[in-house]
Amino acid sequence: MAVMKVIEILANSEKSWEDATKKAINQASKSVKNIKSAFVQSQSVVVKDDEVSEFRVNLKVTFEVK
């Protein structure tokens, strides 16, 4: 029987939500092992001078506890 744990991670990118998600998983995998999935709970942007300046994601990351 596998035991799973879920953590919440916030990340940002100047490029896209996809890039922010990839950055979050890449950074999390440095300290959290056995990541199995991620659920994008929410997306938002920062607007500066009438332009999108930053993409933000809030992820729920699931990993196996061994």
Side-chain angles (χ1 to χ4, degrees):
M1 179 177 138
V3 176
M4 308 301 266
K5 182 169 183 166
V6 178
I7 58 174
E8 192 167 337
I9 297 176
L10 306 173
N12 65 311
S13 168
E14 293 179 356
K15 294 180 185 177
S16 67
W17 286 302
E18 183 178 287
D19 187 55
T21 301
K22 288 179 179 181
K23 285 181 176 182
I25 297 300
N26 185 290
Q27 189 66 31
S29 68
K30 292 178 182 178
S31 60
V32 177
K33 302 303 173 197
N34 304 311
I35 294 175
K36 300 298 181 190
S37 66
F39 171 72
V40 178
Q41 184 173 331
S42 66
Q43 299 174 316
S44 63
V45 295
V46 175
V47 177
K48 185 175 181 181
D49 298 324
D50 298 329
E51 298 282 332
V52 173
S53 62
E54 186 177 297
F55 297 85
R56 293 180 175 175
V57 291
N58 181 339
L59 302 173
K60 292 214 180 230
V61 176
T62 303
F63 61 98
E64 186 176 353
V65 178
K66 295 200 174 197

